[in-house]
Amino acid sequence: RNVASSVPVSNLAIQLNKNAFGLSPANQQVACNPPIPVGGSGRHSVELANGGPGMVAQVPPGQPASPQIQVAIKNMTTGLVFYFAANFALEALFAPDGALERAAFIESWKSIDDKKELYGTVSDLPA
């Protein structure tokens, strides 16, 4: 809801802090078309992408990764910034059919630091 701006909101910028999922907006610019009038509200979807290793928050050893993502949204007309945190729904990271292209899987697997890989033998599996 546009309660802080005395003018309609037409352009926003969005930024995420480093997070356990390495997510960042695919495009930081958000165009509100039509503009959100004073006192009015609007909806917009923001595509998230893997921001690469620079966007991954470090998780202390033995601690679970936090599902929380810290967000900043800036009104480009007024310069005001709104900060908030939201819990990220993990299921949003998966494709509905559960499939991942072979090349994408191999590329992701190869990008894992060798120090983080563990090897072991599993025995006594049911037939």
Side-chain angles (χ1 to χ4, degrees):
R1 181 170 283 282
N2 180 5
V3 295
S5 177
S6 59
V7 297
V9 175
S10 57
N11 291 301
L12 301 168
I14 185 168
Q15 184 173 328
L16 305 182
N17 277 351
K18 290 181 180 182
N19 55 79
F21 309 104
L23 297 174
S24 64
N27 183 355
Q28 290 186 317
Q29 301 302 311
V30 177
C32 302
N33 190 9
I36 303 169
V38 175
S41 62
R43 285 182 175 255
H44 192 85
S45 295
V46 175
E47 181 182 347
L48 297 178
N50 183 326
M55 280 301 294
V56 177
Q58 295 297 316
V59 178
Q63 297 294 317
S66 171
Q68 190 177 79
I69 295 182
Q70 297 172 342
V71 184
I73 298 178
K74 181 177 183 178
N75 181 331
M76 298 305 288
T77 303
T78 65
L80 295 173
V81 181
F82 175 62
Y83 300 94
F84 65 97
N87 283 332
F88 185 76
L90 187 60
E91 61 270 12
L93 295 173
F94 302 102
D97 62 1
L100 179 64
E101 291 182 23
R102 178 177 164 72
F105 174 78
I106 292 172
E107 184 64 32
S108 294
W109 188 267
K110 287 181 178 179
S111 71
I112 298 173
D113 185 351
D114 288 342
K115 295 176 195 165
K116 294 185 177 184
E117 286 190 33
L118 299 173
Y119 297 90
T121 301
V122 178
S123 58
D124 299 327
L125 293 175

